[in-house]
PDB file of all heavy atoms in Angstrom:
ATOM      1  N   MET A 359      -7.986  -6.537 -22.070  1.00 94.00           N
ATOM      2  CA  MET A 359      -9.282  -6.876 -22.672  1.00 94.00           C
ATOM      3  C   MET A 359     -10.097  -5.626 -22.989  1.00 94.00           C
ATOM      4  O   MET A 359     -10.731  -5.544 -24.041  1.00 94.00           O
ATOM      5  CB  MET A 359     -10.076  -7.796 -21.739  1.00 94.00           C
ATOM      6  CG  MET A 359      -9.519  -9.208 -21.723  1.00 94.00           C
ATOM      7  SD  MET A 359     -10.600 -10.351 -20.847  1.00 94.00           S
ATOM      8  CE  MET A 359     -10.611  -9.713 -19.215  1.00 94.00           C
ATOM      9  N   LEU A 368     -15.509   2.365 -22.034  1.00 85.00           N
ATOM     10  CA  LEU A 368     -16.568   1.608 -21.351  1.00 85.00           C
ATOM     11  C   LEU A 368     -17.880   2.358 -21.448  1.00 85.00           C
ATOM     12  O   LEU A 368     -17.897   3.580 -21.441  1.00 85.00           O
ATOM     13  CB  LEU A 368     -16.220   1.450 -19.872  1.00 85.00           C
ATOM     14  CG  LEU A 368     -15.094   0.500 -19.533  1.00 85.00           C
ATOM     15  CD1 LEU A 368     -14.811   0.577 -18.049  1.00 85.00           C
ATOM     16  CD2 LEU A 368     -15.442  -0.926 -19.911  1.00 85.00           C
ATOM     17  N   PRO A 371     -23.896  -0.094 -18.824  1.00 79.00           N
ATOM     18  CA  PRO A 371     -24.908  -1.003 -19.353  1.00 79.00           C
ATOM     19  C   PRO A 371     -26.313  -0.446 -19.092  1.00 79.00           C
ATOM     20  O   PRO A 371     -26.534   0.218 -18.076  1.00 79.00           O
ATOM     21  CB  PRO A 371     -24.687  -2.285 -18.570  1.00 79.00           C
ATOM     22  CG  PRO A 371     -23.389  -2.116 -17.892  1.00 79.00           C
ATOM     23  CD  PRO A 371     -23.106  -0.682 -17.766  1.00 79.00           C
ATOM     24  N   ASP A 378     -25.720 -10.257 -12.856  1.00 89.00           N
ATOM     25  CA  ASP A 378     -24.488  -9.952 -12.129  1.00 89.00           C
ATOM     26  C   ASP A 378     -24.701  -9.448 -10.710  1.00 89.00           C
ATOM     27  O   ASP A 378     -23.740  -9.086 -10.039  1.00 89.00           O
ATOM     28  CB  ASP A 378     -23.685  -8.909 -12.923  1.00 89.00           C
ATOM     29  CG  ASP A 378     -23.360  -9.414 -14.315  1.00 89.00           C
ATOM     30  OD1 ASP A 378     -22.852 -10.543 -14.431  1.00 89.00           O
ATOM     31  OD2 ASP A 378     -23.642  -8.685 -15.279  1.00 89.00           O
ATOM     32  N   PHE A 381     -22.612 -11.214  -8.080  1.00 93.00           N
ATOM     33  CA  PHE A 381     -21.195 -10.848  -8.163  1.00 93.00           C
ATOM     34  C   PHE A 381     -20.946  -9.475  -7.537  1.00 93.00           C
ATOM     35  O   PHE A 381     -20.077  -9.306  -6.675  1.00 93.00           O
ATOM     36  CB  PHE A 381     -20.755 -10.869  -9.635  1.00 93.00           C
ATOM     37  CG  PHE A 381     -19.437 -10.214  -9.898  1.00 93.00           C
ATOM     38  CD1 PHE A 381     -18.259 -10.838  -9.517  1.00 93.00           C
ATOM     39  CD2 PHE A 381     -19.369  -8.961 -10.511  1.00 93.00           C
ATOM     40  CE1 PHE A 381     -17.034 -10.226  -9.750  1.00 93.00           C
ATOM     41  CE2 PHE A 381     -18.156  -8.352 -10.742  1.00 93.00           C
ATOM     42  CZ  PHE A 381     -16.988  -8.979 -10.364  1.00 93.00           C
ATOM     43  N   TYR A 418     -14.845 -14.625 -12.190  1.00 96.00           N
ATOM     44  CA  TYR A 418     -15.865 -13.979 -13.037  1.00 96.00           C
ATOM     45  C   TYR A 418     -15.349 -13.889 -14.487  1.00 96.00           C
ATOM     46  O   TYR A 418     -16.055 -14.199 -15.441  1.00 96.00           O
ATOM     47  CB  TYR A 418     -16.173 -12.591 -12.476  1.00 96.00           C
ATOM     48  CG  TYR A 418     -17.246 -11.814 -13.203  1.00 96.00           C
ATOM     49  CD1 TYR A 418     -18.595 -12.133 -13.050  1.00 96.00           C
ATOM     50  CD2 TYR A 418     -16.907 -10.742 -14.035  1.00 96.00           C
ATOM     51  CE1 TYR A 418     -19.584 -11.396 -13.709  1.00 96.00           C
ATOM     52  CE2 TYR A 418     -17.887 -10.007 -14.691  1.00 96.00           C
ATOM     53  CZ  TYR A 418     -19.215 -10.336 -14.529  1.00 96.00           C
ATOM     54  OH  TYR A 418     -20.185  -9.608 -15.177  1.00 96.00           O
ATOM     55  N   ILE A 419     -14.103 -13.474 -14.619  1.00 97.00           N
ATOM     56  CA  ILE A 419     -13.509 -13.374 -15.966  1.00 97.00           C
ATOM     57  C   ILE A 419     -13.510 -14.752 -16.630  1.00 97.00           C
ATOM     58  O   ILE A 419     -13.928 -14.898 -17.785  1.00 97.00           O
ATOM     59  CB  ILE A 419     -12.065 -12.808 -15.905  1.00 97.00           C
ATOM     60  CG1 ILE A 419     -12.089 -11.358 -15.405  1.00 97.00           C
ATOM     61  CG2 ILE A 419     -11.395 -12.896 -17.274  1.00 97.00           C
ATOM     62  CD1 ILE A 419     -10.722 -10.744 -15.163  1.00 97.00           C
ATOM     63  N   GLU A 422     -17.199 -15.799 -17.451  1.00 95.00           N
ATOM     64  CA  GLU A 422     -17.882 -14.990 -18.470  1.00 95.00           C
ATOM     65  C   GLU A 422     -17.137 -14.993 -19.805  1.00 95.00           C
ATOM     66  O   GLU A 422     -17.711 -14.656 -20.833  1.00 95.00           O
ATOM     67  CB  GLU A 422     -18.063 -13.544 -17.986  1.00 95.00           C
ATOM     68  CG  GLU A 422     -18.944 -13.396 -16.743  1.00 95.00           C
ATOM     69  CD  GLU A 422     -20.356 -13.912 -16.960  1.00 95.00           C
ATOM     70  OE1 GLU A 422     -20.878 -13.817 -18.087  1.00 95.00           O
ATOM     71  OE2 GLU A 422     -20.933 -14.435 -15.976  1.00 95.00           O
ATOM     72  N   ALA A 423     -15.848 -15.308 -19.749  1.00 97.00           N
ATOM     73  CA  ALA A 423     -15.008 -15.424 -20.953  1.00 97.00           C
ATOM     74  C   ALA A 423     -15.245 -14.294 -21.967  1.00 97.00           C
ATOM     75  O   ALA A 423     -15.803 -14.522 -23.046  1.00 97.00           O
ATOM     76  CB  ALA A 423     -15.232 -16.790 -21.601  1.00 97.00           C
ATOM     77  N   PRO A 424     -14.815 -13.072 -21.649  1.00 97.00           N
ATOM     78  CA  PRO A 424     -15.033 -11.943 -22.567  1.00 97.00           C
ATOM     79  C   PRO A 424     -14.516 -12.210 -23.990  1.00 97.00           C
ATOM     80  O   PRO A 424     -15.075 -11.698 -24.950  1.00 97.00           O
ATOM     81  CB  PRO A 424     -14.242 -10.808 -21.906  1.00 97.00           C
ATOM     82  CG  PRO A 424     -14.151 -11.184 -20.468  1.00 97.00           C
ATOM     83  CD  PRO A 424     -14.116 -12.670 -20.420  1.00 97.00           C
ATOM     84  N   LEU A 427     -17.335 -13.692 -25.684  1.00 96.00           N
ATOM     85  CA  LEU A 427     -18.420 -12.704 -25.862  1.00 96.00           C
ATOM     86  C   LEU A 427     -18.074 -11.729 -26.986  1.00 96.00           C
ATOM     87  O   LEU A 427     -18.960 -11.256 -27.703  1.00 96.00           O
ATOM     88  CB  LEU A 427     -18.655 -11.932 -24.564  1.00 96.00           C
ATOM     89  CG  LEU A 427     -19.206 -12.746 -23.390  1.00 96.00           C
ATOM     90  CD1 LEU A 427     -19.252 -11.895 -22.129  1.00 96.00           C
ATOM     91  CD2 LEU A 427     -20.619 -13.267 -23.714  1.00 96.00           C
ATOM     92  N   GLU A 432     -22.030  -8.662 -28.128  1.00 92.00           N
ATOM     93  CA  GLU A 432     -21.362  -7.396 -27.814  1.00 92.00           C
ATOM     94  C   GLU A 432     -21.990  -6.685 -26.603  1.00 92.00           C
ATOM     95  O   GLU A 432     -21.304  -6.091 -25.785  1.00 92.00           O
ATOM     96  CB  GLU A 432     -21.414  -6.486 -29.034  1.00 92.00           C
ATOM     97  CG  GLU A 432     -20.309  -5.441 -28.965  1.00 92.00           C
ATOM     98  CD  GLU A 432     -20.483  -4.358 -30.005  1.00 92.00           C
ATOM     99  OE1 GLU A 432     -21.011  -4.677 -31.083  1.00 92.00           O
ATOM    100  OE2 GLU A 432     -20.106  -3.213 -29.702  1.00 92.00           O
ATOM    101  N   LYS A 433     -23.330  -6.789 -26.505  1.00 90.00           N
ATOM    102  CA  LYS A 433     -24.025  -6.113 -25.404  1.00 90.00           C
ATOM    103  C   LYS A 433     -23.572  -6.682 -24.057  1.00 90.00           C
ATOM    104  O   LYS A 433     -23.237  -5.955 -23.117  1.00 90.00           O
ATOM    105  CB  LYS A 433     -25.533  -6.311 -25.597  1.00 90.00           C
ATOM    106  CG  LYS A 433     -26.358  -5.405 -24.737  1.00 90.00           C
ATOM    107  CD  LYS A 433     -27.788  -5.302 -25.241  1.00 90.00           C
ATOM    108  CE  LYS A 433     -28.650  -4.771 -24.128  1.00 90.00           C
ATOM    109  NZ  LYS A 433     -29.724  -5.661 -23.755  1.00 90.00           N
ATOM    110  N   ARG A 434     -23.550  -7.984 -24.013  1.00 92.00           N
ATOM    111  CA  ARG A 434     -23.128  -8.654 -22.780  1.00 92.00           C
ATOM    112  C   ARG A 434     -21.640  -8.368 -22.488  1.00 92.00           C
ATOM    113  O   ARG A 434     -21.248  -8.182 -21.341  1.00 92.00           O
ATOM    114  CB  ARG A 434     -23.389 -10.170 -22.929  1.00 92.00           C
ATOM    115  CG  ARG A 434     -22.950 -11.019 -21.754  1.00 92.00           C
ATOM    116  CD  ARG A 434     -23.904 -10.899 -20.557  1.00 92.00           C
ATOM    117  NE  ARG A 434     -23.323 -11.524 -19.369  1.00 92.00           N
ATOM    118  CZ  ARG A 434     -23.382 -11.007 -18.149  1.00 92.00           C
ATOM    119  NH1 ARG A 434     -24.044  -9.907 -17.903  1.00 92.00           N
ATOM    120  NH2 ARG A 434     -22.816 -11.630 -17.137  1.00 92.00           N
ATOM    121  N   LEU A 435     -20.856  -8.337 -23.538  1.00 93.00           N
ATOM    122  CA  LEU A 435     -19.428  -8.039 -23.383  1.00 93.00           C
ATOM    123  C   LEU A 435     -19.239  -6.696 -22.657  1.00 93.00           C
ATOM    124  O   LEU A 435     -18.440  -6.589 -21.728  1.00 93.00           O
ATOM    125  CB  LEU A 435     -18.751  -7.976 -24.759  1.00 93.00           C
ATOM    126  CG  LEU A 435     -17.286  -7.502 -24.755  1.00 93.00           C
ATOM    127  CD1 LEU A 435     -16.377  -8.599 -24.202  1.00 93.00           C
ATOM    128  CD2 LEU A 435     -16.831  -7.115 -26.154  1.00 93.00           C
ATOM    129  N   LYS A 436     -20.010  -5.688 -23.074  1.00 91.00           N
ATOM    130  CA  LYS A 436     -19.875  -4.366 -22.463  1.00 91.00           C
ATOM    131  C   LYS A 436     -20.214  -4.403 -20.969  1.00 91.00           C
ATOM    132  O   LYS A 436     -19.550  -3.784 -20.149  1.00 91.00           O
ATOM    133  CB  LYS A 436     -20.784  -3.364 -23.177  1.00 91.00           C
ATOM    134  CG  LYS A 436     -20.198  -2.943 -24.514  1.00 91.00           C
ATOM    135  CD  LYS A 436     -21.090  -1.942 -25.195  1.00 91.00           C
ATOM    136  CE  LYS A 436     -20.457  -1.531 -26.519  1.00 91.00           C
ATOM    137  NZ  LYS A 436     -21.435  -0.877 -27.399  1.00 91.00           N
ATOM    138  N   THR A 437     -21.268  -5.161 -20.656  1.00 91.00           N
ATOM    139  CA  THR A 437     -21.664  -5.266 -19.246  1.00 91.00           C
ATOM    140  C   THR A 437     -20.580  -5.958 -18.435  1.00 91.00           C
ATOM    141  O   THR A 437     -20.211  -5.526 -17.345  1.00 91.00           O
ATOM    142  CB  THR A 437     -22.980  -6.064 -19.130  1.00 91.00           C
ATOM    143  OG1 THR A 437     -23.937  -5.448 -19.975  1.00 91.00           O
ATOM    144  CG2 THR A 437     -23.481  -6.120 -17.707  1.00 91.00           C
ATOM    145  N   VAL A 438     -20.064  -7.042 -18.987  1.00 94.00           N
ATOM    146  CA  VAL A 438     -19.054  -7.825 -18.251  1.00 94.00           C
ATOM    147  C   VAL A 438     -17.794  -6.982 -18.031  1.00 94.00           C
ATOM    148  O   VAL A 438     -17.250  -6.936 -16.922  1.00 94.00           O
ATOM    149  CB  VAL A 438     -18.741  -9.145 -19.000  1.00 94.00           C
ATOM    150  CG1 VAL A 438     -17.486  -9.809 -18.464  1.00 94.00           C
ATOM    151  CG2 VAL A 438     -19.933 -10.092 -18.905  1.00 94.00           C
ATOM    152  N   LEU A 439     -17.347  -6.283 -19.070  1.00 93.00           N
ATOM    153  CA  LEU A 439     -16.127  -5.486 -18.915  1.00 93.00           C
ATOM    154  C   LEU A 439     -16.353  -4.278 -18.001  1.00 93.00           C
ATOM    155  O   LEU A 439     -15.451  -3.876 -17.255  1.00 93.00           O
ATOM    156  CB  LEU A 439     -15.584  -5.043 -20.279  1.00 93.00           C
ATOM    157  CG  LEU A 439     -14.981  -6.193 -21.104  1.00 93.00           C
ATOM    158  CD1 LEU A 439     -14.476  -5.689 -22.444  1.00 93.00           C
ATOM    159  CD2 LEU A 439     -13.847  -6.907 -20.360  1.00 93.00           C
ATOM    160  N   PHE A 440     -17.560  -3.764 -18.017  1.00 92.00           N
ATOM    161  CA  PHE A 440     -17.909  -2.694 -17.074  1.00 92.00           C
ATOM    162  C   PHE A 440     -17.765  -3.209 -15.635  1.00 92.00           C
ATOM    163  O   PHE A 440     -17.190  -2.554 -14.762  1.00 92.00           O
ATOM    164  CB  PHE A 440     -19.364  -2.244 -17.340  1.00 92.00           C
ATOM    165  CG  PHE A 440     -19.937  -1.354 -16.285  1.00 92.00           C
ATOM    166  CD1 PHE A 440     -19.725   0.017 -16.314  1.00 92.00           C
ATOM    167  CD2 PHE A 440     -20.715  -1.880 -15.251  1.00 92.00           C
ATOM    168  CE1 PHE A 440     -20.273   0.842 -15.334  1.00 92.00           C
ATOM    169  CE2 PHE A 440     -21.251  -1.061 -14.266  1.00 92.00           C
ATOM    170  CZ  PHE A 440     -21.027   0.311 -14.314  1.00 92.00           C
ATOM    171  N   ASN A 441     -18.273  -4.403 -15.408  1.00 93.00           N
ATOM    172  CA  ASN A 441     -18.168  -4.989 -14.057  1.00 93.00           C
ATOM    173  C   ASN A 441     -16.713  -5.266 -13.681  1.00 93.00           C
ATOM    174  O   ASN A 441     -16.305  -5.039 -12.548  1.00 93.00           O
ATOM    175  CB  ASN A 441     -18.967  -6.288 -13.984  1.00 93.00           C
ATOM    176  CG  ASN A 441     -20.450  -6.016 -13.861  1.00 93.00           C
ATOM    177  OD1 ASN A 441     -20.856  -4.996 -13.303  1.00 93.00           O
ATOM    178  ND2 ASN A 441     -21.270  -6.910 -14.398  1.00 93.00           N
ATOM    179  N   ILE A 442     -15.950  -5.757 -14.635  1.00 95.00           N
ATOM    180  CA  ILE A 442     -14.541  -6.078 -14.345  1.00 95.00           C
ATOM    181  C   ILE A 442     -13.769  -4.793 -14.010  1.00 95.00           C
ATOM    182  O   ILE A 442     -13.041  -4.725 -13.027  1.00 95.00           O
ATOM    183  CB  ILE A 442     -13.888  -6.809 -15.545  1.00 95.00           C
ATOM    184  CG1 ILE A 442     -14.530  -8.189 -15.711  1.00 95.00           C
ATOM    185  CG2 ILE A 442     -12.377  -6.934 -15.360  1.00 95.00           C
ATOM    186  CD1 ILE A 442     -14.144  -8.909 -16.982  1.00 95.00           C
ATOM    187  N   TRP A 443     -13.962  -3.782 -14.844  1.00 94.00           N
ATOM    188  CA  TRP A 443     -13.258  -2.510 -14.594  1.00 94.00           C
ATOM    189  C   TRP A 443     -13.586  -1.973 -13.202  1.00 94.00           C
ATOM    190  O   TRP A 443     -12.704  -1.560 -12.456  1.00 94.00           O
ATOM    191  CB  TRP A 443     -13.657  -1.479 -15.661  1.00 94.00           C
ATOM    192  CG  TRP A 443     -12.992  -0.146 -15.458  1.00 94.00           C
ATOM    193  CD1 TRP A 443     -11.745   0.215 -15.861  1.00 94.00           C
ATOM    194  CD2 TRP A 443     -13.552   0.993 -14.786  1.00 94.00           C
ATOM    195  NE1 TRP A 443     -11.478   1.514 -15.491  1.00 94.00           N
ATOM    196  CE2 TRP A 443     -12.571   2.019 -14.822  1.00 94.00           C
ATOM    197  CE3 TRP A 443     -14.774   1.258 -14.164  1.00 94.00           C
ATOM    198  CZ2 TRP A 443     -12.779   3.277 -14.263  1.00 94.00           C
ATOM    199  CZ3 TRP A 443     -14.976   2.517 -13.600  1.00 94.00           C
ATOM    200  CH2 TRP A 443     -13.992   3.513 -13.650  1.00 94.00           C
ATOM    201  N   ASN A 444     -14.848  -2.021 -12.850  1.00 94.00           N
ATOM    202  CA  ASN A 444     -15.242  -1.523 -11.534  1.00 94.00           C
ATOM    203  C   ASN A 444     -14.635  -2.360 -10.412  1.00 94.00           C
ATOM    204  O   ASN A 444     -14.144  -1.816  -9.418  1.00 94.00           O
ATOM    205  CB  ASN A 444     -16.772  -1.520 -11.401  1.00 94.00           C
ATOM    206  CG  ASN A 444     -17.381  -0.218 -11.872  1.00 94.00           C
ATOM    207  OD1 ASN A 444     -17.275   0.803 -11.211  1.00 94.00           O
ATOM    208  ND2 ASN A 444     -17.985  -0.239 -13.057  1.00 94.00           N
TER     209      ASN A 444
END
Side-chain angles (χ1 to χ4, degrees):
M359 286 189 297
L368 288 175
D378 302 310
F381 166 74
Y418 182 75
I419 295 174
E422 297 300 327
L427 293 174
E432 202 191 328
K433 194 162 162 239
R434 178 76 191 138
L435 173 73
K436 284 181 179 163
T437 306
V438 166
L439 289 179
F440 169 85
N441 283 330
I442 293 170
W443 179 83
N444 271 287

